[in-house]
Amino acid sequence: RHRGSVKVFNLIKGVFKAHGAVAIETPVTELKATLTGKYGEDSKLIYDLADQGGEILALRYDLTVPFARFCAQHNIKNIKRYHIARVYRRDRPVMSKGRYREFYQCDIDIAGEYESMVPDAECIKIVSEILTKCELGEFKVKVNHRQILDGIFASCG
């Protein structure tokens, strides 16, 4: 990885940790059955693999579905976690449009039962904090979801 990437990843991890998230990594491969059907039309972009034991595996397409499997297997009820790792898409890369076969995805997930819309509002705050710390200049975070907006307004009083 490039030194600039490491610096940005560390900055992002710092914001995630400040919000109480823990690092949980999931394997780069999953059973294909775990991934199939979770991405709708994009399921055709999953890289299929076959291991020596005969299991049909696939490279992870994102970080969320493997995390959901992890939570189910470990009976996790409430958690804030983050994961920054490579994901894979069997796609035609168009570098000029930012489409790659392999790239880093940066996730924070707040899973479990929490006060309505509070995790959504926290995720927006996290995005704002990260963009501010990256010193990219002025930006706007636009939200186009009535329930999220209602939650933000309710949590602000």
Side-chain angles (χ1 to χ4, degrees):
R1 286 188 290 190
H2 187 269
R3 273 187 15 209
S5 300
V6 172
K7 183 179 177 182
V8 172
F9 289 164
N10 286 337
L11 181 148
I12 293 167
K13 288 177 189 178
V15 173
F16 289 165
K17 289 177 184 178
H19 282 266
V22 295
I24 294 179
E25 294 188 16
T26 53
V28 71
T29 59
E30 287 285 337
L31 291 172
K32 184 178 178 191
T34 302
L35 300 177
T36 304
K38 305 292 190 293
Y39 303 106
E41 186 67 24
D42 284 345
S43 287
K44 67 180 184 237
L45 301 178
I46 295 172
Y47 274 106
D48 298 338
L49 306 171
D51 81 356
Q52 295 174 355
E55 293 179 306
I56 305 298
L57 301 175
L59 292 175
R60 63 180 171 219
Y61 179 86
D62 70 5
L63 302 175
T64 304
V65 170
F67 174 62
R69 182 216 20 96
F70 178 89
C71 286
Q73 281 184 331
H74 296 89
N75 201 27
I76 294 172
K77 299 298 180 198
N78 281 41
I79 190 169
K80 284 185 195 178
R81 79 92 194 216
Y82 71 90
H83 191 183
I84 299 174
R86 288 183 172 104
V87 295
Y88 304 89
R89 307 276 166 90
R90 196 179 72 206
D91 199 359
R92 291 191 184 127
V94 182
M95 275 48 133
S96 63
K97 294 184 179 180
R99 294 174 63 142
Y100 303 94
R101 289 187 174 150
E102 175 188 61
F103 56 93
Y104 279 93
Q105 185 168 322
C106 179
D107 275 18
I108 185 163
D109 292 291
I110 304 173
E113 293 186 25
Y114 296 88
E115 192 175 328
S116 180
M117 306 307 288
V118 170
D120 302 275
E122 184 173 9
C123 286
I124 294 167
K125 181 170 177 31
I126 289 167
V127 167
S128 177
E129 287 178 23
I130 289 169
L131 293 174
T132 299
K133 287 183 184 245
C134 285
E135 299 178 348
L136 300 173
E138 288 190 33
F139 62 88
K140 290 181 184 179
V141 177
K142 296 184 179 185
V143 178
N144 187 15
H145 191 294
R146 187 69 205 166
Q147 286 177 315
I148 292 175
L149 289 173
D150 288 346
I152 292 169
F153 294 143
S155 68
C156 292

